[in-house]
Amino acid sequence: MSATKHETILGNAGIILADRVIERGWVAISDGRIAEFGQGDAPGRAEDAAGDLIMPGLIELHTDHLEAHYVPRPKVFWDPIAAVVSYDGQLATSGITTVLDSLRVWREDGAEEVDGRAGVLAKAITTAREENLLRADHFLHLRCEIPMPSVVEEAKELIDRPDIRLMSLMDHTPGQRQFRDEGKLRDYYRGKNGGKTDAELDVLFERRFVYQKTYAAANMREIVALAHQYAIPLASHDDTTEENVIDAVRDRVAVAEFPTTMEAARGLHQAGIGILMGAPNVVRGGSHSGNIAAVDLAREGLLDILSSDYIPSSLLMAALQLPRHVPAIDLASAVRTVTKTPAEAVGLSDRGEIAVGKRADLIRVHVARDIPVVRSVWREGQRVA
């Protein structure tokens, strides 16, 4: 091939494909797409990657990290557009080129902070996108806390947005799922945003028990029906028991986020549901809630997708560390958990791998001291970082 003024060629790099790694190769970009790739010396004039890795931009399905930029301190609310731009910059420099911004779709007395502000943040994301302020490609993930009285109403206020790609079915009632150990949930709230007293937590937990008993069943039916009506993929959340798995199959969920037990993970896998686990779980060597470790699922062949959850930089770190933790997983397979597989789970078939005709969403990664450093980022062939 011959280079034109519209093309970029990246050479002298390790090229991570969906099924293998080219130890020393090149990638050519034309009109925002992958035009060609190969092994050895690049044809024509190429940008020298100095032996770094070239891989697809990362695909993030579940991160609520935007909220930390919007509310950086208790009761301190930042300009929402500025918060989105700051958050987006952190994602890009972490190698994330496509993100589903996870927004809480509920309000709760006594736990306000960012709850109930999904509309504000969704509007800010739209404004930042329209004014070309963003480096990554942003979609929405509506996190629906099923027992909350207003969750259906609030979901309906956002449901007709074209950028919604996922809805998750959550229930954080104390004593089940992620927080089967109620003490872990108490520890979480004691350390969050200045902390709550045990007396305050007694009131909060009792209210949640009432909400779960009163609203959860009807809300679950309505949220699931809403997702199916608008053809939005569903995710279950913190599946723990066989009953949880049965519910996930019944609701036709596409992705199971953070299953907490091996029993649940095996059942979900057998049902053909993709299993998503937290990248921080891989990097830290276990769950902060005391549940199943992601690498244990990986060793059993039960890990499909990784998510950065609350630390954007963990996504790339975990993918590159996974083959060391689980030797049966090679580098190409590990990178698929943060690129091709999550893209396909939410219908984004135009990205997530280095293949001819796919979007040229790429990152150049240098690894030093076992820490990956993102040197450059391209979105549709345009350098954005």
Side-chain angles (χ1 to χ4, degrees), residues 1 9-11 13 15 24-28 36-43:
M1 60 167 278
I9 305 177
L10 310 173
I15 310 298
R24 182 176 176 274
W26 53 273
V27 178
E36 199 173 351
F37 60 88
Q39 188 168 350
D41 293 333

Side-chain angles (χ1 to χ4, degrees), residues 205-349:
F205 287 7
E206 182 58 34
R207 184 167 59 244
R208 287 190 177 180
F209 292 136
V210 172
Y211 284 166
Q212 211 272 351
K213 183 177 180 180
T214 306
Y215 301 107
N219 285 352
M220 177 70 86
R221 289 193 296 270
E222 291 200 53
I223 291 293
V224 169
L226 202 59
H228 291 165
Q229 178 185 346
Y230 284 85
I232 297 169
L234 277 169
S236 60
H237 197 79
D238 299 331
D239 294 317
T240 301
T241 65
E242 182 180 355
E243 182 181 2
N244 295 154
V245 174
I246 291 170
D247 290 345
V249 173
R250 176 201 65 203
D251 296 332
R252 306 201 304 272
V253 307
V255 176
E257 298 184 319
F258 318 118
T260 68
T261 64
M262 188 68 74
E263 171 196 12
R266 286 175 177 147
L268 293 161
H269 177 76
Q270 290 171 4
I273 296 171
I275 296 175
L276 177 151
M277 293 293 284
N281 187 314
V282 174
V283 174
R284 296 179 66 253
S287 164
H288 74 278
S289 302
N291 296 312
I292 193 74
V295 293
D296 288 341
L297 295 187
R299 291 189 183 103
E300 296 283 330
L302 303 176
L303 175 65
D304 300 300
I305 299 168
L306 286 171
S307 162
S308 70
D309 199 6
Y310 56 92
I311 304 179
S313 62
S314 69
L315 194 59
L316 181 57
M317 290 180 68
L320 296 185
Q321 290 178 13
L322 197 54
R324 188 177 73 238
H325 293 300
V326 188
I329 298 177
D330 62 20
L331 182 58
S333 300
V335 169
R336 280 202 307 273
T337 68
V338 295
T339 55
K340 189 175 190 289
T341 305
E344 291 176 343
V346 293
L348 295 171
S349 59

Side-chain angles (χ1 to χ4, degrees), residues 51-127:
D52 290 343
L53 299 173
I54 300 293
M55 66 178 71
L58 310 185
I59 313 291
E60 173 58 72
L61 298 189
H62 178 125
T63 174
D64 48 17
H65 196 62
L66 172 55
E67 295 165 354
H69 289 259
Y70 181 45
V71 188
R73 290 288 186 272
K75 304 187 186 306
V76 174
F77 294 90
W78 212 244
D79 177 280
I81 297 173
V84 169
V85 171
S86 172
Y87 154 77
D88 170 80
Q90 186 174 3
L91 295 178
T93 55
S94 298
I96 297 168
T97 55
T98 298
V99 58
L100 271 58
D101 302 313
S102 303
L103 304 181
R104 305 187 199 192
V105 188
W106 77 88
R107 289 185 293 270
E108 181 179 11
D109 293 339
E112 295 85 359
E113 293 304 326
V114 297
D115 296 347
R117 293 180 172 84
V120 172
L121 293 175
K123 183 178 179 181
I125 292 164
T126 297
T127 300

Side-chain angles (χ1 to χ4, degrees), residues 104-107 116 150-159:
R104 305 187 199 192
V105 188
W106 77 88
R107 289 185 293 270
S150 63
V151 66
V152 174
E153 174 189 349
E154 293 176 53
K156 287 180 177 178
E157 291 173 359
L158 295 167
I159 196 67

